[in-house]
Amino acid sequence: MRYILKKLLTLIVALLLISIVVFLAFSVLPADASIAKLGQNATPERIAALRAEMGLDQPVLVQYFRWISGAVRGDFGTSYQYTGTRVVDLVGGRIGTSAVLSLISLVMVVVISIPVGIFAAKRRSAPGRAAMTTVIHITMGVPSFFLGLLITYLFSLVLRWFTIGKYSSPAEDLAASISYLVFPAIAISLPKIAMTVKFLVSSIRSELHKDYVRTAYAKGCSRNRVFYGHVLKNSLVPVITFMGIIIAEIVAGSIVVEKVFSVPGIGMLLVTAITNRDYPVVEAVVLLIAVVVIVINFLVDVIYQIIDPRVRL
Amino acid sequence: MLLQVNDLKVEYHTKTKISYAVKGVSFRMEKGDILGIVGESGSGKSTMGLALMMQLPQTARFTGSVLFKDRDLVPMTFEELRKIKGREISTVFQEPMTSLNPLVRVGKQVEEILKIHDRSLTREVRKDKVLRMFRNVELQNPEEVYGKYPHELSGGMQQRVMIAMALMNHPDLLIADEPTTALDADVQTQILDLLKSINERYGTSIILISHDLRVVRQLCRKTLVMYQGMIVEQGDVEQIFEHPQHEYTKGLISALTKGEKESEDYETDAMLQVKDLTLYYNIKPEKLGQHRTRKYICRDMNFTVHTGEIVGLVGPSGSGKSSISRAILGLHRDYTGQILLKEPNPQMIFQDSASSLNPGRKIGWILEEPLKNLKDREQIAHVRKLSRVAELLGTDPAKEMPPDRLTARERKAIVRDMLTRVELPGEFISRYPDELSGGQKQRVNIALALIAGSGFVIADEPVSALDVTIQGQILELLLHLQKELNLSMLFISHDKAVVDRMCDKVVQLIPAGD
């Protein structure tokens, strides 16, 4: 319990630091939001008036506290681009889509890579290993957006299994939404599956050479009992930590892939907001992604701690 | 007749060569016997052990017969053997920590051996049997131990758990492969006593595989001595001890009983002075807001190592032997008191001969590396003089040698010279560490410590991981080099016999209380 509390405390500190970094990053940018809103040719008087209206003329510290106290209450201000629309509504309307997309990707990674990893680790023959390594390395090396293009071409244009752009949000029609999101999820998860398989295989292989495996055989365990009863669980322990990294990459990877598949999620919102210097939106989305990644890594730590008695404190 | 081994041969087939590990061994064993198998590593004793447990790696081919209760184990399938392993033949391994699954409570692990061989037992019955066996192997608080993970137990307790596990199905034969090698001396004795009482109580036959004749003598009545894959001598242990027949056995026994080194008087000044040294480490607060506390490793140490002297540092594990050497090298900074060292470039030789040698580099490269980093002119001149570089290369020191660095040619000559000093052939320059035996690697480590002309060496259990005969050779070499180069040495060991042989004086460490 004390371990978890301690982790929780560092989590909160990390979140605060990130919020400061995110805020400062945008406040030191040379082109400030008033110019973005009014354009390069605006008169200095108009800019000054707008800056005062937006609170941009106040000290950075005051601006930060106003922003963070709003953020805690869920108020990120209004978008510059869609005047009058609250940032929360913009983000809230798309968060479901992105969450479903990330979730499908994660489930794919877990459900596919564990059996494939077990199958691959059991290959003993040299050609079998070589073939496996080749496939894994090729898959790992292909960037998600390129995979996305291939998938769009194959499944949408050639096979016509889905129509690009004809997306319905999970709130409207969950089944239809999932059947569309499966394709971007493949693009996101395929390289991650390859990485996880590679990681799991090497973890299993190194476990197989440990002394306790010899003990298990000496006890009279069958091969399956040794593998599934002893080796597999121990091999999965480091994979849990690895999943923390993979999840962060899935969240990050979806930003570009959403654009490729024109899925109206957080990623797409972020890309558009950056091009339009819509700072309140950018800040909110970056903060949101950071929070998700940190919280997930906190959960991974806690799970790890429950599974491996050696790190229990 | 419990076990009869006839002409057992084991070969390891690799891509490039076939090596013969056991070359036709025959022996027999009656029920209730305790049989020792002694030999250094590479003698084939461990391969024999693995063959008897039918746990040889897949690269091994074996012929001959192993008749266990009149059934030949050699032609048996995996499934047939599986029913014998853990039920009729059980095993205790050298490293209890790694031999247990780190993620499973030890009680469950011991229970598994019952579950595999008898599915009819209920959970309650199994647990009850495990607890009873824990009591039989003299584990305190069996209930508590049952729920512990391996890392929460001491080495001795882990080995008791392993023994309990091996005995759960009351096997006819227990094979113990170096069961006490990884344990402290007093725990060793306890475990050996336990094995003896098990033999008496249950009539379990025991095969004890060990490199240590003393351990075998303590437990066994009969023993085999193995050398280069063959049995060179067998019979009554005491008989072999008193009247060894084979040259190899004679060597083994005389290595054990080498006399102590006589102290000499030293008038020279001090190489290392340790004054009122108290070592501690800081413990991080467990609760928020709590202050840091200091945990003391040892208190108020005073000793001096004079130039050309070997000082032994002995004490139980946890008494700060290694921490003191780390402090001397400047790696442990939490101390009070004074450490005065004259040698600017102290070196260390560790127990694990492999860990300090980069496996991806050849020996020549490894030995050259410290020479490349030499900057100090005095030091360079010293190294040149020590290795007689001018003589070896036929150059004139005043003219041709740059004073601020060693040329590649000189470095090569120094490396060759150093290899000769540690009695290794010159062609080792192009070998990789993996191609060397443990003793040879330790020789390379000694060369590595001395090559940059250091006059002070800390040897941290330099021979503990080696076989007795090799131990003798390495100690001999260290003594020889120490005389030749007038080295000062701090010699850390838990082995009283080794320290007596090596050291001019001994510093006894006592663990500090809180």
Side-chain angles (χ1 to χ4, degrees):
Chain A
M1 249 346 256
R2 182 182 296 149
Y3 172 82
I4 295 176
L5 280 177
K6 224 167 162 182
K7 279 271 165 196
L8 202 62
L9 203 74
T10 47
L11 171 104
I12 292 166
V13 173
L15 290 180
L16 266 175
L17 284 176
I18 281 186
S19 73
I20 291 171
V21 170
V22 167
F23 186 81
L24 286 183
F26 291 106
S27 66
V28 297
L29 284 181
D32 103 5
S34 52
I35 303 173
K37 217 167 173 180
L38 296 173
Q40 294 289 354
N41 302 325
T43 60
E45 293 78 35
R46 282 202 62 192
I47 290 178
L50 188 65
R51 282 172 62 90
E53 189 193 320
M54 292 167 85
L56 293 175
D57 54 346
Q58 295 189 13
V60 175
L61 208 62
V62 175
Q63 289 187 48
Y64 172 73
F65 277 112
R66 190 187 289 167
W67 177 69
I68 193 69
S69 60
V72 172
R73 281 178 277 117
D75 176 14
F76 288 90
T78 54
S79 163
Y80 295 167
Q81 191 193 355
Y82 312 100
T83 325
T85 317
R86 293 195 311 154
V87 175
V88 185
D89 296 332
L90 271 177
V91 173
R94 290 150 204 258
I95 201 166
T97 298
S98 289
V100 172
L101 178 59
S102 293
L103 209 64
I104 298 174
S105 309
L106 178 63
V107 169
M108 278 184 174
V109 171
V110 173
V111 170
I112 297 173
S113 57
I114 290 177
V116 171
I118 293 170
F119 176 81
K122 285 185 162 183
R123 292 309 96 190
R124 289 234 183 84
S125 70
R129 284 188 180 194
M132 188 198 88
T133 316
T134 314
V135 171
I136 284 176
H137 282 167
I138 291 174
T139 323
M140 248 165 70
V142 181
S144 284
F145 70 86
F146 183 67
L147 262 181
L149 291 177
L150 288 184
I151 289 169
T152 330
Y153 177 75
L154 183 66
F155 292 105
S156 183
L157 298 180
V158 179
L159 295 173
R160 301 196 176 279
W161 287 4
F162 75 109
T163 316
I164 196 97
K166 212 182 151 202
Y167 169 79
S168 38
S169 79
E172 294 165 28
D173 183 351
L174 190 63
S177 173
I178 288 175
S179 67
Y180 186 93
L181 288 177
V182 161
F183 297 97
I186 294 173
I188 294 170
S189 61
L190 215 50
K192 313 294 177 249
I193 289 172
M195 281 182 198
T196 315
V197 167
K198 191 178 155 78
F199 191 84
L200 180 60
V201 167
S202 74
S203 176
I204 290 176
R205 292 243 168 90
S206 76
E207 280 307 309
L208 277 173
H209 288 109
K210 298 239 167 113
D211 287 346
Y212 71 83
V213 175
R214 183 181 61 183
T215 309
Y217 279 120
K219 278 171 162 180
C221 288
S222 64
R223 287 204 175 92
N224 274 339
R225 193 179 177 93
V226 172
F227 191 84
Y228 293 103
H230 289 276
V231 174
L232 188 58
K233 183 184 168 193
N234 296 18
S235 318
L236 285 174
V237 171
V239 176
I240 291 167
T241 313
F242 190 67
M243 283 327 272
I245 303 164
I246 290 290
I247 292 170
E249 293 210 352
I250 286 175
V251 173
S254 64
I255 294 173
V256 182
V257 172
E258 279 180 9
K259 186 86 183 161
V260 174
F261 284 85
S262 53
V263 174
I266 296 288
M268 196 127 104
L269 180 68
L270 180 64
V271 174
T272 325
I274 289 172
T275 10
N276 294 326
R277 295 216 183 106
D278 195 351
Y279 293 151
V281 175
V282 179
E283 281 166 355
V285 173
V286 171
L287 192 64
L288 177 72
I289 291 174
V291 168
V292 168
V293 169
I294 288 184
V295 168
I296 282 168
N297 275 290
F298 164 73
L299 292 177
V300 165
D301 275 348
V302 172
I303 293 170
Y304 187 78
Q305 199 271 145
I306 290 166
I307 289 178
D308 193 337
R310 285 168 297 185
V311 298
R312 243 175 246 175
L313 297 167
Chain B
M1 185 73 55
L2 178 79
L3 185 71
Q4 190 178 350
V5 175
N6 295 317
D7 199 25
L8 182 70
K9 289 182 186 150
V10 183
E11 307 157 8
Y12 288 110
H13 289 239
T14 56
K15 265 183 196 156
T16 48
K17 61 174 185 193
I18 301 172
S19 53
Y20 302 91
V22 178
K23 304 168 186 167
V25 164
S26 305
F27 67 92
R28 49 177 52 194
M29 193 181 170
E30 299 292 337
K31 200 165 171 28
D33 269 356
I34 306 184
L35 178 73
I37 299 181
V38 202
E40 59 192 54
S41 65
S43 66
K45 65 174 196 311
S46 306
T47 304
M48 267 268 286
L50 288 172
L52 296 177
M53 305 166 217
M54 292 295 141
Q55 297 252 69
L56 285 168
Q58 293 199 323
T59 49
R61 308 266 177 286
F62 51 102
T63 57
S65 65
V66 177
L67 294 175
F68 174 71
K69 297 205 287 190
D70 300 324
R71 292 166 299 172
D72 191 353
L73 300 182
V74 172
M76 281 192 187
T77 62
F78 180 87
E79 199 51 29
E80 286 170 313
L81 285 168
R82 194 176 77 71
K83 298 206 171 89
I84 294 175
K85 288 197 279 195
R87 199 161 63 97
E88 294 174 72
I89 302 178
S90 272
T91 328
V92 175
F93 296 102
Q94 177 173 354
E95 288 284 347
M97 177 77 199
T98 54
S99 295
L100 290 163
N101 187 335
L103 299 192
V104 182
R105 294 177 198 278
V106 294
K108 290 282 163 213
Q109 295 192 53
V110 176
E111 236 184 87
E112 190 186 20
I113 202 166
L114 287 173
K115 206 155 114 189
I116 298 164
H117 294 287
D118 187 354
R119 300 226 166 245
S120 67
L121 297 173
T122 63
R123 180 173 299 217
E124 290 72 35
V125 175
R126 287 200 306 255
K127 181 166 183 184
D128 193 53
K129 282 186 167 220
V130 171
L131 292 178
R132 221 174 323 139
M133 188 54 81
F134 276 180
R135 242 167 259 132
N136 288 344
V137 297
E138 293 150 36
L139 276 166
Q140 309 293 322
N141 308 324
E143 282 278 358
E144 203 179 302
V145 173
Y146 186 91
K148 292 269 190 210
Y149 289 95
H151 72 278
E152 297 172 316
L153 302 176
S154 71
M157 287 166 90
Q158 289 165 353
Q159 200 58 297
R160 280 174 200 276
V161 168
M162 284 297 289
I163 292 171
M165 180 150 84
L167 294 175
M168 282 314 296
N169 291 315
H170 299 288
D172 303 280
L173 177 61
L174 179 68
I175 300 173
D177 187 0
E178 304 269 8
T180 59
T181 310
L183 304 174
D184 280 349
D186 49 334
V187 185
Q188 271 191 18
T189 312
Q190 290 170 19
I191 295 289
L192 291 176
D193 287 346
L194 174 65
L195 288 173
K196 193 161 215 155
S197 79
I198 284 163
N199 169 262
E200 282 158 8
R201 207 170 345 152
Y202 303 108
T204 314
S205 313
I206 298 175
I207 292 181
L208 177 76
I209 299 170
S210 179
H211 70 276
D212 192 341
L213 261 176
R214 281 170 297 193
V215 168
V216 171
R217 191 185 196 177
Q218 229 175 316
L219 187 65
C220 308
R221 286 174 284 259
K222 288 182 190 158
T223 188
L224 312 173
V225 180
M226 284 193 74
Y227 179 60
Q228 295 190 340
M230 287 177 289
I231 296 177
V232 293
E233 200 156 344
Q234 60 178 307
D236 186 77
V237 173
E238 290 306 316
Q239 189 80 29
I240 288 177
F241 240 90
E242 299 302 324
H243 309 288
Q245 301 295 315
H246 194 273
E247 282 307 312
Y248 173 70
T249 326
K250 284 179 189 164
L252 267 184
I253 291 166
S254 75
L256 286 181
T257 50
K258 268 262 167 78
E260 302 178 7
K261 184 179 172 180
E262 285 154 37
S263 289
E264 296 166 36
D265 288 323
Y266 287 94
E267 294 289 306
T268 43
D269 33 12
M271 173 59 87
L272 170 72
Q273 268 182 292
V274 171
K275 283 184 195 161
D276 304 322
L277 179 69
T278 296
L279 291 171
Y280 59 90
Y281 54 89
N282 289 318
I283 297 178
K284 282 193 200 153
E286 288 191 358
K287 284 183 196 140
L288 296 169
Q290 208 174 41
H291 283 292
R292 292 184 163 198
T293 47
R294 279 180 180 187
K295 167 104 179 134
Y296 288 93
I297 304 166
C298 61
R299 288 178 204 265
D300 300 329
M301 296 289 309
N302 283 292
F303 64 88
T304 307
V305 181
H306 295 284
T307 307
E309 200 179 29
I310 305 184
V311 173
L313 209 53
V314 294
S317 54
S319 60
K321 295 192 294 273
S322 301
S323 304
I324 287 182
S325 51
R326 286 167 58 78
I328 293 169
L329 294 174
L331 299 170
H332 182 107
R333 294 186 188 281
D334 294 336
Y335 65 80
T336 57
Q338 269 185 308
I339 299 174
L340 303 169
L341 182 63
K342 223 165 76 179
E343 171 63 52
N345 179 24
Q347 291 295 325
M348 239 183 130
I349 301 167
F350 295 96
Q351 172 174 6
D352 182 359
S353 58
S355 64
S356 6
L357 303 177
N358 182 342
R361 293 290 191 173
K362 291 177 179 165
I363 300 300
W365 189 94
I366 293 171
L367 287 177
E368 244 187 275
E369 205 188 8
L371 297 174
K372 289 179 194 157
N373 299 331
L374 280 185
K375 292 279 181 294
D376 184 56
R377 290 184 179 212
E378 240 171 81
Q379 191 75 15
I380 288 171
H382 176 61
V383 172
R384 274 185 181 135
K385 207 175 109 213
L386 217 59
S387 304
R388 309 178 304 271
V389 175
E391 217 174 293
L392 287 172
L393 296 175
T395 46
D396 181 359
K399 284 182 194 160
E400 294 172 41
M401 294 179 183
D404 56 341
R405 66 188 168 87
L406 292 162
T407 62
R409 209 159 135 249
E410 285 177 289
R411 292 198 303 259
K412 294 249 154 40
I414 295 170
V415 167
R416 268 179 205 284
D417 174 64
M418 195 39 90
L419 279 176
T420 323
R421 281 184 201 260
V422 296
E423 294 153 19
L424 289 175
E427 75 237 30
F428 272 39
I429 281 183
S430 51
R431 296 256 190 111
Y432 287 98
D434 283 353
E435 299 167 332
L436 272 51
S437 73
Q440 288 168 339
K441 269 184 255 183
Q442 202 57 299
R443 281 172 194 271
V444 173
N445 278 313
I446 293 170
L448 191 58
L450 299 179
I451 199 152
S454 177
F456 178 73
V457 175
I458 299 174
D460 190 352
E461 304 267 9
V463 297
S464 305
L466 303 172
D467 299 314
V468 181
T469 42
I470 311 289
Q471 274 191 11
Q473 293 166 11
I474 296 289
L475 294 177
E476 217 44 70
L477 174 71
L478 277 174
L479 280 175
H480 170 74
L481 287 172
Q482 185 262 333
K483 275 228 165 60
E484 192 177 293
L485 303 169
N486 199 28
L487 296 175
S488 317
M489 212 184 283
L490 194 59
F491 192 92
I492 301 174
S493 180
H494 69 277
D495 191 338
K496 180 98 176 32
V498 169
V499 170
D500 286 342
R501 183 171 160 199
M502 290 293 292
C503 304
D504 301 299
K505 67 183 185 203
V506 175
V507 178
Q508 176 77 44
L509 291 182
I510 304 149
D514 298 307

